[in-house]
Amino acid sequence: MPGLREVQYYLSGLWLLIRMDTRGFRFLDMSDRGVNRSFWAMAWCLPPMGISWLWWRQAFLQSMPPHVEVGLPFYFRLGLVEIANWFVPLVFAGLLLFAFRMGDRFAAVVVSVNWLGVPLSYINGLLLALVFFIPGAISVVSVLLLVFMMAQVFMLARILRMIFHGHGLMVGALTLALLVPTMIFAEYLQRFLGIYPV
């Protein structure tokens, strides 16, 4: 598992790419080994993921009758949703890239998206923690979540623009492919697994 220094190194590269600085590519390992190691980002996201699960449990129980309880199967299903949220967008992105004969850039997309997920998960977890521990802050947090979502789109688009310089339509299509399926598929899977607040 990559250590903190290595993760910071990768995030420094992403920050440079967001600033439209090509030096950022030097900080990212685009080899097969680098692609495989980038999935360790999921492990780095476990702490904020736990916060989001607690928040989701609270929202779920509030929509249920008082006697309803949740146990290990509930968290197992949440885990399945998280895994799907991580891999399904990458599958869509891969299909899109290979369809347009740009499969050689798939590794760069996977590495960038995986490591970008780490700081985004912690920011999201922090905002949900505010709602969880300070219920009265929900209005402010809702606005912050909207701003965060817009910033997420902006950062992802900037990174993809660096990877696909000169292919604006591909940047737009790939940004949608990485974000929209997650929102749609996640809700469908949550309803299917019976963990969506009624």
Side-chain angles (χ1 to χ4, degrees), residues 5-105:
R5 287 183 178 273
E6 186 176 349
V7 175
Q8 290 175 331
Y9 189 77
Y10 295 144
L11 296 184
S12 297
L14 290 178
W15 178 243
L16 288 172
L17 293 180
I18 291 170
R19 295 173 57 189
M20 309 300 286
D21 189 335
T22 56
R23 290 178 299 171
F25 288 114
R26 302 176 191 171
F27 291 76
L28 299 173
D29 185 357
M30 307 294 188
S31 66
D32 291 343
R33 178 178 179 274
V35 171
N36 292 333
R37 284 177 66 78
S38 72
F39 286 98
W40 279 108
M42 297 178 68
W44 274 95
C45 292
L46 287 176
M49 198 180 297
I51 294 174
S52 69
W53 286 12
L54 291 174
W55 178 83
W56 194 261
R57 174 184 177 274
Q58 184 184 53
F60 180 79
L61 290 176
Q62 287 177 348
S63 68
M64 295 287 113
H67 65 277
V68 174
E69 296 182 2
V70 297
L72 189 60
F74 178 82
Y75 295 105
F76 176 75
R77 292 170 186 171
L78 279 177
L80 292 178
V81 174
E82 292 287 355
I83 293 172
N85 283 346
W86 202 283
F87 285 98
V88 170
L90 293 177
V91 170
F92 275 98
L95 293 174
L96 185 63
L97 290 177
F98 284 100
F100 285 90
R101 302 181 185 277
M102 293 185 178
D104 58 319
R105 305 188 195 188

Side-chain angles (χ1 to χ4, degrees), residues 112-139:
S112 300
V113 169
N114 281 348
W115 289 120
L116 182 62
V118 175
L120 294 181
S121 291
Y122 277 87
I123 294 172
N124 185 64
L126 176 62
L127 294 175
L128 291 180
L130 290 176
V131 176
F132 191 74
F133 294 108
I134 312 174
I138 189 167
S139 299

Side-chain angles (χ1 to χ4, degrees), residues 129-190:
L130 290 176
V131 176
F132 191 74
F133 294 108
I134 312 174
I138 189 167
S139 299
V140 175
V141 173
S142 297
V143 175
L144 292 176
L145 283 170
L146 179 60
V147 173
F148 168 65
M149 188 178 301
M150 295 170 61
Q152 181 179 354
V153 174
F154 173 78
M155 289 186 288
L156 179 59
R158 296 272 285 194
I159 292 172
L160 293 176
R161 185 178 170 188
M162 294 298 290
I163 297 173
F164 297 93
H165 48 86
H167 296 279
L169 289 177
M170 178 55 70
V171 171
L174 207 53
T175 301
L176 292 175
L178 288 166
L179 295 177
V180 175
T182 301
M183 294 184 287
I184 297 175
F185 184 72
E187 181 177 341
Y188 170 79
L189 193 57
Q190 288 163 351

